[in-house]
Amino acid sequence: MPTRKRKPGFDTLAIHAGQEPEGLTGAVTVPIFQTSTFAQVAVGKNKGYEYARTGNPTRTALETCLAALEDGRWALAFSSGMAASDAIAHLLKAGDHVVMGDDVYGGTYRLFVRVFDQLGIATTAVDMRRLASVRKALRKTTRLVWIETPTNPLLKVLDIHALAGIAHAGKALAVVDNTFASPYLQNPLAHGADLALHSTTKYIGGHSDVVGGAIVGNDPQLRERLAFLQNAVGGVPGPLDAWLVLRGAKTLAVRMERHSLNGQAVAEWLAEHPKVSRVNYPGLRAHPQHDLAKRQMRSFGGMLSFELKSGEAAAKRMAARTKIFALAESLGGVESLIEVPLAMTHGSVRGTKLAPPAGLVRLSVGIETVHDLIEDLAEAIG
Ligand SMILES: *Cc1c(COP(=O)(O)O)cnc(C)c1O
């Protein structure tokens, strides 16, 4: 990229950061370096790569791009969001304690309470909208505060700046799972978080065709420890997967604009519907943290949930009747998805105080023509 005074904008970085034409042939698109090893120039002397678990140029391009999009100094790519979360959990040791939101992604909760719990790491889950509860949950041994915002499936918005402050006062790291917002809508590092985590499977990949994860940060020591874990544990993306995520990232800005427009329109339409009792979308003025969302996020994205007055059976019936919205788990792709959290993504918390309302329906609003989406929902609600 030509040097200039002003930092390039988000859309430019998405397409060019880490993606200069390739040196040997001038290929405009970063090649898929489908190789497991790299020939050495002499013993102990190489061209920057030795073995592809440790590093691969396609992955380097992706990491450079993701760092630029989060405005961080570095990024590390993983084979899934959970592999990235696992690397962060591996920063801890037996006796350490974690505080996390009480409605974090189910896989995150499972990783801490079913895997790392056995290794002597305790976890407390609290409603992170209540800062006093977070302060109270902190122990002398708390080393990690895990924040996910907006939350899933209720779209609560948490104050990253305030929560990072509480974490730091207790000498704990503040990690933000930024998957729901994507780096286009929200940059946790700018609000004081130490690490931003992504399941790149979702908005960054954006086309429901790849599983991946990433961690972005500023502190070089954290980079060194996490890069060590990335290589030592080995949860790295293959070159094709890294390439797919990078290709998705190029259009993140335009996709998020449309996700947000469609999300807002669908949320406003649902809010007026007589069979709907409640809509959870941070872009609605009635959302309890709408002002915080406006401060913290660029716009409000494509994720929303709503409750049907007539409960779980009606929610399930509706979810099976849509024709454009596919009945599926996951989120963040170009295509619209519908699901019933209690019966699908959040089945494991049924019967606990963390269970979502029975009649709750979650939408991942895609980038199709919005009138078609609303018509599809109207027919399915009946
Ligand atoms: C999907 C998801 C994850 C896990 O990512 P995978 O790529 O499925 O491993 C973590 N956090 C959130 C918020 C997610 O939606």
Side-chain angles (χ1 to χ4, degrees), residues 79-83 85 104-105 107-108 146 148 150 152 177-180 197-202 210-213 330-331 362:
S79 56
S80 69
M82 291 320 303
S85 304
V104 295
Y105 178 71
T108 307
W146 191 284
E148 187 181 318
N152 173 21
D177 182 336
N178 202 26
T179 300
F180 256 46
L197 173 125
H198 287 280
S199 166
T200 55
T201 314
K202 317 293 169 51
V210 63
V211 172
S330 198
L331 61 109
R362 189 187 80 178

Side-chain angles (χ1 to χ4, degrees), residues 284-344:
L284 292 178
R285 226 171 301 156
H287 187 287
Q289 297 94 39
H290 177 62
D291 288 336
L292 170 61
K294 272 204 305 204
R295 283 202 305 278
Q296 194 165 275
M297 301 173 73
R298 188 168 184 160
S299 62
F300 309 106
M303 294 307 298
L304 62 88
S305 61
F306 61 95
E307 273 175 72
L308 285 172
K309 285 179 184 160
S310 36
E312 187 174 4
K316 283 184 177 164
R317 237 184 352 262
M318 175 191 174
R321 272 208 298 239
T322 51
K323 298 201 167 67
I324 298 177
F325 282 84
L327 178 58
E329 301 189 0
S330 198
L331 61 109
V334 291
E335 63 286 303
S336 291
L337 304 178
I338 187 167
E339 68 124 355
V340 180
L342 189 61
M344 297 171 67

Side-chain angles (χ1 to χ4, degrees), residues 149-236:
T149 179
T151 69
N152 173 21
L154 292 174
L155 283 299
K156 297 176 203 163
V157 178
L158 306 176
D159 189 334
I160 298 172
H161 180 77
L163 290 165
I166 293 171
H168 293 157
K171 297 201 165 46
L173 285 177
V175 175
V176 174
D177 182 336
N178 202 26
T179 300
F180 256 46
S182 91
Y184 184 71
L185 299 186
Q186 174 173 282
N187 296 121
L189 303 180
H191 296 290
D194 300 290
L195 298 171
L197 173 125
H198 287 280
S199 166
T200 55
T201 314
K202 317 293 169 51
Y203 282 110
I204 295 177
H207 296 73
S208 308
D209 54 10
V210 63
V211 172
I215 304 170
V216 190
N218 282 318
D219 179 350
Q221 279 174 345
L222 273 175
R223 184 196 181 278
E224 199 179 312
R225 292 172 68 197
L226 287 163
F228 169 81
L229 287 164
Q230 181 195 41
N231 182 52
V233 180
V236 294

Side-chain angles (χ1 to χ4, degrees), residues 82-116:
M82 291 320 303
S85 304
D86 172 82
I88 294 174
H90 267 108
L91 293 171
L92 306 177
K93 59 182 191 322
D96 287 350
H97 174 245
V98 180
V99 174
M100 62 170 54
D102 62 3
D103 53 359
V104 295
Y105 178 71
T108 307
Y109 187 73
R110 182 176 59 197
L111 178 72
F112 281 93
V113 304
R114 307 246 331 252
V115 179
F116 282 91

